[in-house]
Amino acid sequence: MRKNVLIRTNIFICTVIILGFLLTSVISYYSNNGMLKRDVEHISKLTSEGIYHQIDSIFAKPINISLTMANDNLLKTFLTEEETRKNDEAFLKTMKDYLLAYKEQYNYDSVFLVSTKTNRYYHFQTGVDRVLKKGDPENEWYYNFLDDSKDHALNIDNDEARSADNGITIFINCKIHSRNGEVMGIVGVGFSVDTLQKIFRKYEQSFNLRAYLVDTDGNIEISTTKTGFIKNDLFDDCGYEEYKTGILSERQKTQSFWYSSKGEKGFLVTKYVPDLKWHLIIENDTTAMQNSLNRQFLMGIAVVIIVIGAVLIIITNIIRKYNAQIVNLTVEKEKAHRKAFQTETEKMYENIYEIDITHNRAASEETESYFESLGVPKNTPYDEALEVIAKEQIKEEFRKGYLDTFSVKNVLKTYEDGQESLRYDFMITNDGGYTYYWMRITARIFFWKDDQSVRMMVYRQNIDSEKSREMEMAERMQRDSLSGLYNKAATQELIRRLLAEAQGNTYAFFILDIDNFKKVNDTYGHVVGDQVIADFAQKIKQQFRKEDVVGRIGGDEFVVFVPASSAELVEKKAKNLTQVLQYPFTDGDVYCQISTSIGVAVAPEAGTDFETLYKNADQALYRTKEKGKKGYTIY
């Protein structure tokens, strides 16, 4: 009887243990699997954003520099005179020095020019490096680009220049057009593909994922181990081959999804990069982690079978130890996971806060503490705390944009529209407004199932140095490299903006032309001509205020646009400029007399837009030259 009771008791206890262990294992398995998926999705999306913005920063500069060079009158003049002076050493040295100057200033691996008339390839180090011939596979990029309708393009190729050791290089090529629209040549810059590979390698080592840039056909252009120099289709024999068409056809929004095929499992984030016309693909292969979870589950079942034998002998003691061990392992694992994730995330962001948008409140103690540090009482609704933050920390001109972007209403609308993120750049202070610096907030919006709420993770990132570089680059792009004044495009844009913003105000539009400048160039050469232009530009600049628009719009043609309170002052200024800009120029070896002819148009009487003012001032300039130059005419 006792034996039957013991057997029944043991069977009952073993059944309870087996069922309990199986239930615990299944719950733990699905819970860990869910956490794994959330973490993989989060890290993959953050990585995609990080790499995308770094790529955008890396390529913006060389694209703009190539476009600037393609519109440089010096290059166009060189190509125009090339056939008649192609054996002139001084002529060739001028171009070599020009290319070398860009190379040294921006530290690119390659700076080159190709003439469509002679197919000569000019290089900053070797001068005339080679002549490109049709039919040579190494020159296909050149002839394909000439046939293409695009004005600028990227390609990855080996650098054939004699001094480049055939290094794999990313080239940014731009067409140079003549006045009648014909292609005169191709100019470009290049930098080693290793620049991007290092970025990819850093993320792969940190987060155990893979990053690719692929073209519109799916061929790998850049990864840590491959480049577009050798054709490799990313979608050949992979677990997400069936998604190829959908990935490559989407060019508007970021895509993300899980895939499972051919024994592979993982998560993909894809984003189109418009400037490169390539797709950024972040692949997080979770096959090994998923298999590890499955093995843990199966091993747990095996362990319970072994444990049951011992439980039958010392059931109570084993149960207590086993339960304690499970609890400790789970807690430690969760702590280690959270610590590792927090450490890696804090490397990228200054602060991270969580907001419960649905219930209009802070969703973590850290967020609540941040609100309190700014004088917000505990348990204050999120929208009221947002107002306090804007008032205490955000620079005034950014407050409305900050409040509109991160308001409860806008966050919920963004989520309902199917978008998962918000971003806003602004200036912030931590010392009561004495100093400000640039901050970027990137917010990820998600649905929290536990309480059926829409939540927002807020990532704060100091981007002060990045903004400084952007503003410095914008300023450089507006300036003419020879004179230091505004270039033609910037001059036109600034004048149009002033006319639009202050309609009806009186402005004076000056066109200044150096008298007999062609003779200076022909007599003393372009080097002296460039010195005269630079010296002339500085003398003009000294006659006006910092806020006045002073630009160089042609070879020896300058434009000044300034407020004018009366016709008498305009005439007085024109007369003064005629006197100041009549002077002897010398550099020690060369002496020549410089003077200027000026045409003036006054807005709004002589026009209310740039084109009309320029035309009328140019007519006045023509009359000055008819009268013998060295003077001025007011339209």
Side-chain angles (χ1 to χ4, degrees), residues 40-312:
V40 166
E41 290 175 2
H42 199 59
I43 291 174
S44 300
K45 290 174 181 178
L46 288 177
T47 299
S48 174
E49 289 291 329
I51 292 179
Y52 178 86
H53 292 301
Q54 289 193 54
I55 289 173
D56 188 50
S57 176
I58 287 172
F59 278 95
K61 178 177 177 180
I63 289 173
N64 288 333
I65 288 172
S66 294
L67 289 170
T68 299
M69 293 171 69
N71 287 286
D72 195 327
N73 284 327
L74 181 62
L75 283 186
K76 294 183 179 182
T77 301
F78 178 87
L79 293 172
T80 302
E81 299 176 359
E82 181 194 24
E83 284 193 308
T84 60
R85 300 184 63 188
K86 62 184 180 182
N87 296 320
D88 185 339
E89 290 297 327
F91 182 72
L92 297 176
K93 186 176 185 302
T94 299
M95 180 46 53
K96 180 179 175 182
D97 291 344
Y98 175 90
L99 298 176
L100 180 61
Y102 271 91
K103 193 273 178 192
E104 291 179 344
Q105 183 174 358
Y106 300 106
N107 199 28
Y108 291 120
D109 296 306
S110 179
V111 183
F112 69 90
L113 169 70
V114 182
S115 166
T116 56
K117 285 185 179 180
T118 63
N119 293 328
R120 296 173 101 189
Y121 185 102
Y122 296 92
H123 189 261
F124 72 87
Q125 192 165 11
T126 56
V128 179
D129 189 77
R130 62 189 182 276
V131 176
L132 306 185
K133 297 180 180 178
K134 200 163 189 176
D136 186 343
E138 295 288 355
N139 301 330
E140 285 185 2
W141 67 271
Y142 169 64
Y143 291 100
N144 289 342
F145 186 37
L146 287 179
D147 294 336
D148 200 329
S149 60
K150 300 173 185 173
D151 281 335
H152 73 276
L154 285 82
N155 74 297
I156 298 177
D157 204 346
N158 60 316
D159 191 343
E160 278 194 273
R162 281 171 278 175
S163 58
D165 296 329
N166 275 320
I168 304 302
T169 304
I170 301 173
F171 291 97
I172 296 90
N173 307 320
C174 290
K175 293 177 181 176
I176 304 173
H177 292 278
S178 65
R179 290 189 176 181
N180 59 12
E182 293 181 354
V183 179
M184 304 172 68
I186 293 175
V187 67
V189 299
F191 56 89
S192 172
V193 73
D194 190 53
T195 302
L196 283 177
Q197 289 182 321
K198 285 180 180 177
I199 294 174
F200 286 6
R201 202 171 291 118
K202 173 185 174 184
Y203 279 96
E204 290 187 11
Q205 291 171 351
S206 299
F207 302 110
N208 194 30
L209 42 72
R210 288 187 289 273
Y212 305 92
L213 279 171
V214 303
D215 64 16
T216 53
D217 294 322
N219 297 313
I220 298 174
E221 292 291 350
I222 299 174
S223 71
T224 53
T225 58
K226 297 176 181 178
T227 70
F229 183 60
I230 299 176
K231 196 170 185 179
N232 288 282
D233 190 333
L234 173 64
F235 298 91
D236 282 349
D237 194 29
C238 67
Y240 45 87
E241 184 178 356
E242 61 185 291
Y243 299 104
K244 178 177 180 178
T245 302
I247 291 173
L248 299 180
S249 62
E250 178 56 59
R251 299 189 179 183
Q252 299 297 324
K253 61 184 180 181
T254 302
Q255 298 184 90
S256 59
F257 49 82
W258 287 90
Y259 66 87
S260 177
S261 178
K262 299 181 180 180
E264 296 180 12
K265 296 180 179 178
F267 185 72
L268 281 185
V269 180
T270 71
K271 189 180 185 73
Y272 184 67
V273 186
D275 285 341
L276 306 184
K277 296 181 175 57
W278 294 342
H279 294 267
L280 172 63
I281 297 179
I282 305 300
E283 174 192 337
N284 201 329
D285 189 344
T286 62
T287 305
M289 290 186 285
Q290 194 68 51
N291 291 339
S292 176
L293 281 176
N294 294 339
R295 284 195 298 271
Q296 288 180 11
F297 180 71
L298 294 175
M299 286 176 63
I301 294 176
V303 168
V304 74
I305 295 174
I306 297 173
V307 169
I308 286 175
V311 169
L312 296 176

Side-chain angles (χ1 to χ4, degrees), residues 328-340:
N328 289 335
L329 285 174
T330 303
V331 170
E332 290 302 319
K333 183 177 179 181
E334 182 65 21
K335 286 182 178 179
H337 167 76
R338 288 184 177 274
K339 184 177 180 181

Side-chain angles (χ1 to χ4, degrees), residues 263-517:
E264 296 180 12
K265 296 180 179 178
F267 185 72
L268 281 185
V269 180
T270 71
K271 189 180 185 73
Y272 184 67
V273 186
D275 285 341
L276 306 184
K277 296 181 175 57
W278 294 342
H279 294 267
L280 172 63
I281 297 179
I282 305 300
E283 174 192 337
N284 201 329
D285 189 344
T286 62
T287 305
M289 290 186 285
Q290 194 68 51
N291 291 339
S292 176
L293 281 176
N294 294 339
R295 284 195 298 271
Q296 288 180 11
F297 180 71
L298 294 175
M299 286 176 63
I301 294 176
V303 168
V304 74
I305 295 174
I306 297 173
V307 169
I308 286 175
V311 169
L312 296 176
I313 302 172
I314 45 174
I315 187 72
T316 303
N317 188 45
I318 293 299
I319 289 175
R320 288 175 179 174
K321 288 183 179 181
Y322 187 73
N323 286 341
Q325 184 180 13
I326 290 294
V327 170
N328 289 335
L329 285 174
T330 303
V331 170
E332 290 302 319
K333 183 177 179 181
E334 182 65 21
K335 286 182 178 179
H337 167 76
R338 288 184 177 274
K339 184 177 180 181
F341 180 74
Q342 182 177 355
T343 300
E344 293 302 323
T345 306
E346 286 177 352
K347 291 178 182 178
M348 301 169 60
Y349 299 99
E350 188 176 277
N351 303 102
I352 302 174
Y353 301 115
E354 184 177 0
I355 307 296
D356 183 342
I357 297 297
T358 299
H359 300 103
N360 194 23
R361 66 190 181 191
S364 68
E365 291 182 7
E366 186 178 2
T367 307
E368 190 74 52
S369 298
Y370 170 60
F371 289 167
E372 290 181 25
S373 70
L374 296 174
V376 179
K378 195 174 181 65
N379 298 323
T380 297
Y382 161 68
D383 55 359
E384 295 180 19
L386 198 67
E387 294 277 357
V388 175
I389 293 171
K391 181 179 179 181
E392 295 293 328
Q393 287 195 308
I394 311 302
K395 199 169 184 180
E396 187 173 358
E397 57 260 41
F398 297 98
R399 288 176 189 169
K400 186 178 185 304
Y402 175 82
L403 292 170
D404 290 346
T405 301
F406 300 110
S407 66
V408 171
K409 180 179 179 181
N410 188 57
V411 174
L412 290 174
K413 182 180 183 303
T414 301
Y415 179 75
E416 290 169 1
D417 290 343
Q419 300 180 36
E420 299 179 346
S421 65
L422 288 169
R423 195 180 85 173
Y424 187 64
D425 295 352
F426 57 93
M427 297 193 78
I428 190 170
T429 182
N430 288 324
D431 56 12
Y434 290 103
T435 59
Y436 286 89
Y437 63 95
W438 280 97
M439 172 75 71
R440 172 175 293 156
I441 285 186
T442 303
R444 304 291 302 181
I445 309 170
F446 61 96
F447 185 74
W448 187 253
K449 293 182 179 179
D450 289 2
D451 61 358
Q452 300 294 299
S453 64
V454 175
R455 297 199 174 194
M456 178 172 69
M457 294 294 293
V458 177
Y459 302 89
R460 292 158 55 98
Q461 185 178 14
N462 187 324
I463 59 167
D464 206 51
S465 59
E466 177 185 331
K467 283 290 184 181
S468 296
R469 288 193 299 271
E470 286 179 5
M471 288 186 284
E472 181 182 351
M473 178 57 63
E475 174 68 16
R476 286 184 182 178
M477 294 306 298
Q478 287 186 324
R479 295 293 175 178
D480 172 58
S481 60
L482 178 58
S483 65
L485 304 180
Y486 288 118
N487 59 31
K488 182 177 181 180
T491 301
Q492 292 176 343
E493 177 60 28
L494 289 170
I495 293 174
R496 288 183 177 129
R497 189 184 305 166
L498 286 171
L499 288 169
E501 291 174 354
Q503 293 182 6
N505 286 5
T506 303
Y507 287 94
F509 188 105
F510 295 81
I511 296 181
L512 301 92
D513 204 28
I514 301 175
D515 292 334
N516 305 313
F517 180 69

